[in-house]
Amino acid sequence: MSNSPVQQHLIKQLVGPLAQKKLSWSKGGALGVLLFALFEFISMINPNAPRIPVPWLLALTIWTGQITIFVKTASFLRYPRREDFFFVMAMSSDQRKKLARESVSSVHDAIWPFIFCSLGAGMVLEFLVFREHSLVNLLVLPVLVIAGAWIIFKAGTAIFNKGIIRPTVKDERRQGNSFLNGAAISSFYSSMVIKISKAAGLLTPLKIRPFVIRNVMYLLRSDPLQFFLFTCTAPVLLALFMLLLIKQSSPFMEFFTILTVFVLNSYYSSHLQEATVRLQQCPYYSYNPRLLLSTHLFTVAALSLPFVFIFLVAVNVHLISVSGLFRVMTFLFALAATFLINCRAVLHPQRKDSESGTDFLIFIFVVAPGLFIPFFGCIFPLLGVTAVTLLEWETVVQHRLATVAGHSSD
Amino acid sequence: MIFTLENLLYSYSKNDRFSLGPLSLSLRSDVITALVGSNGSGKTTLIRVLLNELVNYGGVYSIDSKPVSDIFGTVLYDFGIGYAPEDPLLDEQLSGYEILCIVKEIHGIKNEIFESCIAQYRHIFMLESWFDTAPCKEYSQGMRRKISLMIAFLSASSYLIIDEPTNGLDPLSVFGIKKLLTQYKEQGKGVLVSSHMLDFVEKIADNIIILKKGTLAFAGTVQQLMESWPGKSLDEIYYHLFTGSDHLKEYSV
């Protein structure tokens, strides 16, 4: 690929000397010989030493290197301000995209000879030292490594080309949102938004269903990655954490479940706050604080279902007893208190930091201790529910907020 | 449905130079009524009173002989009124189609009716992929207006109130609105349109209310107004009404 001197300079500044200094055939060959000597030839001399094929080691090195270069290149597309070079900040999104493509291509142009040579050296030594005469056996692993490297390279450039890396806010303002700008991707994503949000609303009462659907749509549209983290990745990680590290009989099972729900709901609150503010402003919605409270309760409950499910599966052995039933009851009360606490943040978008502090204190000192006390521990989360209900008494009893009349005469 | 205002009086504050009224008029739900007046004449204030957004008014405002002050709940929902404000307020993160899906759920509209309405809107407003995929924060003024109007049409089961519907719209969409309004009237539903576009008003409205500095300058049918000024267009009549000293006869709407 022919680059202009200016582009070459920019690429050199961004990805370092890797793209400029072509790693020679000799260096590739030397690495192949070295890896063979260390991980294959030694096993011939010392049968106790493990034999690790050279292509596997090279695959690990090459693929990791490729991904690192891709992440580094992608970072100056999304966060140009974090770069140390002023020229990146001054560039438009399209210019940065082009530079990213050129950088990745240059790096790959430079490392292909190295990849071929190191794999070739490994193959030759395998043939000579281990007397491996089967061409298929010799070629399978190197071909897989090259195919993998090629796919990573192509996927990286395709991601840059399609604009899947979200541009900066400034770029969005200047040229519209180019995130998911492929027609097929954005239309697929839009249909997914509608399907997922309708599915989330299925278990909710008819009266609040539209608003639960709206909340989920807001979360999916505002930050899709965070949404999938909450609903998919976080429960899996929590399950692994619980099953591998904590004993099923430990009250820490409940504590970590509740804490995860509390923390992740707090992350969501900024998006849901925005949804609440819009709900108050838009004339086509009927604003009612009590309705809003129930909506958010059902939204956080719907999003927390995987966590409840994991908890019940994880401790199922202990549930078939009186103490087990008390344990579940305490857990459910604590969960209800946590939902209520999380709702408070959403119901009052303009509240002070001290109120957020109050919520956290209620969670830590009122709700959580009950989880560690057998039988009568459920009193604590109930106290938490009562405390939040009293704090939100106006919302609970109020049917309708007085309309704030702006001054407009036309 | 009949909206009745008797000696309605509203001002934003005691020392306010602007006050609306006293107004006495009635709006029927089987005709298209145009609300016309210069800037600051009180059109939007009147609409906000009708929607019960402004509540500290004097006089009596009733819907179907029931005083609105006695109604517990929202006028928009309780009476099936669709409303498109002058400045479209939308859910910025959601696409137009997603907002309409929520409106459909709120009003319990059946799937087949919803889909046929959407198909019609797609045709009339020439909606492209942005309608389904792009969030409202990326829409132009005209796109936002279209979404706001679609919300109003979809949620209006008995009456429709639209404030400056033609602002920022392309001529084909304006033509489409006229068609939709006519269809709506044929279904026996009423419309209140506030607009500065007199040729638009002349073509679609049955009745006209002209406000001048918060008071009623004329209320009657468009035909009655035109007959009072023979040989003059609505533009000319409007001009004389606001600049000349001619007095017009008043008719009950």
Side-chain angles (χ1 to χ4, degrees), chain A residues 5-76:
Chain A
V6 177
Q7 266 184 356
Q8 283 177 359
H9 176 72
L10 293 178
I11 292 165
K12 190 181 172 186
Q13 291 293 318
L14 286 169
V15 290
L18 191 61
Q20 292 292 309
K21 188 178 69 182
K22 287 207 171 190
L23 293 168
S24 62
W25 295 86
S26 57
K27 281 183 182 169
L31 184 69
V33 172
L34 183 71
L35 290 177
F36 180 84
L38 288 174
F39 295 98
E40 294 208 58
F41 186 69
I42 284 185
S43 68
M44 271 184 86
I45 302 162
N46 177 10
N48 293 328
R51 183 187 165 192
I52 305 169
V54 171
W56 285 131
L57 296 165
L58 284 171
L60 195 71
T61 316
I62 293 163
W63 294 347
T64 312
Q66 281 180 300
I67 291 167
T68 310
I69 290 162
F70 173 77
V71 170
K72 185 172 167 51
T73 318
S75 71
F76 72 76

Side-chain angles (χ1 to χ4, degrees), chain A residues 166 172 176-177 186-187 190 193-194 198 209-211 213-214 217-218 221-222 274 278-279 281-286 399-400 403-410, chain B residues 12 16 18 38-45 48 53-54 72-74 76-77 83 85-86 89-94 97-99 102 105-106 132-133 138 151:
Chain A
R166 194 174 178 166
E172 273 188 359
N177 189 1
S186 54
S187 103
S190 301
V193 168
I194 290 178
K198 280 190 176 172
R209 185 176 295 169
F211 301 102
I213 291 175
R214 180 175 171 271
M217 278 180 179
Y218 243 92
R221 281 282 181 193
S222 306
E274 191 190 334
R278 279 281 148 186
L279 190 79
Q281 291 171 342
C282 292
Y284 46 91
Y285 296 133
S286 165
H399 289 275
R400 191 176 159 203
T403 310
V404 181
H407 191 130
S408 163
S409 60
D410 185 62
Chain B
Y12 286 96
D16 203 330
F18 172 80
S38 57
N39 295 326
S41 59
K43 300 190 296 296
T44 301
T45 305
R48 294 182 71 186
E53 274 187 23
L54 303 176
F72 186 76
T74 53
L76 276 177
Y77 281 83
Y83 172 50
E86 187 181 359
L89 278 162
L90 304 170
D91 279 314
E92 298 296 325
Q93 298 287 352
L94 307 184
Y97 182 71
E98 284 158 8
I99 296 177
I102 297 166
E105 294 285 337
I106 290 173
D132 299 280
T133 57
E138 293 174 17
I151 293 167

Side-chain angles (χ1 to χ4, degrees), chain B residues 5 23 27 29 33 53 58 92 96 105 134 158 169 189 211 250:
Chain B
L5 303 177
L23 291 180
L27 297 168
S29 67
T33 306
E53 274 187 23
E92 298 296 325
E105 294 285 337
S158 58
L169 285 189
K189 298 167 184 174
L211 291 179
E250 283 193 6

Side-chain angles (χ1 to χ4, degrees), chain A residues 203-224:
Chain A
L203 296 172
T204 54
L206 271 177
K207 201 178 173 186
I208 60 165
R209 185 176 295 169
F211 301 102
V212 174
I213 291 175
R214 180 175 171 271
N215 275 350
V216 178
M217 278 180 179
Y218 243 92
L219 295 175
L220 279 165
R221 281 282 181 193
S222 306
D223 203 335

